[in-house]
Amino acid sequence: MGNVFGVDTNGIFLERLDALGRGYHHELPRQEYGALRAYPLLGFDWLHRGGGGVGYAFDYVAIGWILWAGLVCEVGILIFSRQIPHTEVLAHHTDHQSIKQIIQQPRVLVLFGAAFMMCVAHGPYYTFYSIYLVEHGYAKSAIGGLWALGVICEIGVFFVMPALVRRFGFNRILLVSFSAAVLRFLLIGWAVDWLVLLLLAQVMHALTFGAYHAASVGLVHEFFKGRHQSKGQALFGSVTYGAGGVAGGLASGPIWQHWGATVLYSMSAVAAMLGLLLMVWMRNLPKS
């Protein structure tokens, strides 16, 4: 229901936690964010693999019960979020600027546009990927395993992100992430019956989400400082994971219905390619 009204609640919530996490760790180097971000994903992976076994539960439990379990988790998030302490906002020389002035900087606009396209590209993946695999004969437990593989790789890349950022920087990592997204969605659309290639596509989740997310949040943190940091992360989450994810998800239905899954995931690849072109353009823009 949240997506129907254009609100990706989990995405925006996590963006807010990103800002809070940095607030609690003022001394944390910018490249260390990836390792910090990995820990919340352990619970997600636990649910899909051994302890939670959601992937296997789909074979034996009616989906209605799983939705109720999700509601319980959401209530738990609401309760625990009320206990999060306030953070100290460090003063910065950009505090005198309005949030509008920062957003209007060309590099900020291009980053938001590229991230929007990445989330549009992932819309069909999060909306129809499981259904797509079921139609091609994959067991529901196998589908849960594929989701878990992607999360495991995502967690792994978060732990090595500090070293990657020190060596390559945020911009280069994003260029690789968008390039990988183009290839990944082409593989999903055109090689679904080849398990080895499908496994490769899931391993690439480490790049198309893990590395992408850590690097993009790092850049947002560089653009929005001081009193604007939380606002910047919230805007980034709203525009990208919120509006972008919803746009991609809503567009998925008609495309799937009229042209099929192959065309749908090819369009995801096109969206990722547009984001890649924006990131290439961003490299040539002068820094403010």
Side-chain angles (χ1 to χ4, degrees), residues 12-160:
I12 296 173
F13 177 74
L14 287 175
E15 293 299 326
R16 176 60 178 164
L17 286 183
D18 287 337
L20 286 173
R22 288 184 175 277
Y24 296 139
H25 299 83
H26 294 308
E27 73 283 0
L28 188 71
R30 61 181 187 139
Q31 67 269 18
E32 298 292 334
Y33 164 78
L36 180 67
R37 181 64 168 80
Y39 291 100
L41 291 168
L42 294 176
F44 185 86
D45 178 53
W46 175 80
L47 283 172
H48 280 75
R49 293 197 304 143
V54 170
Y56 297 97
F58 280 122
D59 285 337
Y60 307 103
V61 180
I63 194 170
W65 288 104
I66 297 174
L67 293 175
W68 280 110
L71 178 61
V72 171
C73 292
E74 294 289 343
V75 172
I77 290 174
L78 175 63
I79 294 172
F80 284 109
S81 65
R82 300 288 297 177
Q83 311 305 315
I84 298 175
H86 293 288
T87 60
E88 177 188 359
V89 178
L90 297 181
H92 192 265
H93 66 82
T94 59
D95 285 349
H96 70 281
Q97 294 181 316
S98 67
I99 191 75
K100 182 179 178 181
Q101 288 177 300
I102 299 175
I103 294 173
Q104 289 177 337
Q105 295 176 17
R107 286 171 55 83
V108 176
L109 289 174
V110 172
L111 174 64
F112 275 47
F116 175 86
M117 296 311 301
M118 181 66 106
C119 292
V120 168
H122 278 77
Y125 172 71
Y126 290 118
T127 306
F128 283 111
Y129 183 67
S130 295
I131 299 173
Y132 178 46
L133 295 183
V134 168
E135 288 191 351
H136 283 265
Y138 288 88
K140 294 176 182 178
S141 56
I143 295 170
L146 285 168
W147 279 100
L149 174 62
V151 177
I152 292 169
C153 295
E154 177 186 346
I155 293 171
V157 80
F158 273 132
F159 279 115
V160 300

Side-chain angles (χ1 to χ4, degrees), residues 196-210:
V196 173
L197 294 180
L198 203 59
L199 289 170
L200 175 60
Q202 284 305 95
V203 169
M204 294 172 71
H205 190 69
L207 296 174
T208 67
F209 182 80

Side-chain angles (χ1 to χ4, degrees), residues 169-234:
F170 292 133
N171 287 282
R172 289 182 181 178
I173 291 173
L174 284 173
L175 289 172
V176 173
S177 298
F178 279 91
S179 300
V182 175
L183 176 58
R184 183 188 184 195
F185 291 121
L186 288 176
L187 287 175
I188 292 175
W190 294 87
V192 64
D193 295 319
W194 296 79
L195 180 58
V196 173
L197 294 180
L198 203 59
L199 289 170
L200 175 60
Q202 284 305 95
V203 169
M204 294 172 71
H205 190 69
L207 296 174
T208 67
F209 182 80
Y212 154 78
H213 178 77
S216 59
V217 167
L219 282 179
V220 171
H221 182 68
E222 290 186 351
F223 291 142
F224 297 89
K225 297 285 190 179
R227 68 185 183 91
H228 298 305
Q229 185 180 112
S230 294
K231 295 177 184 177
Q233 293 290 356

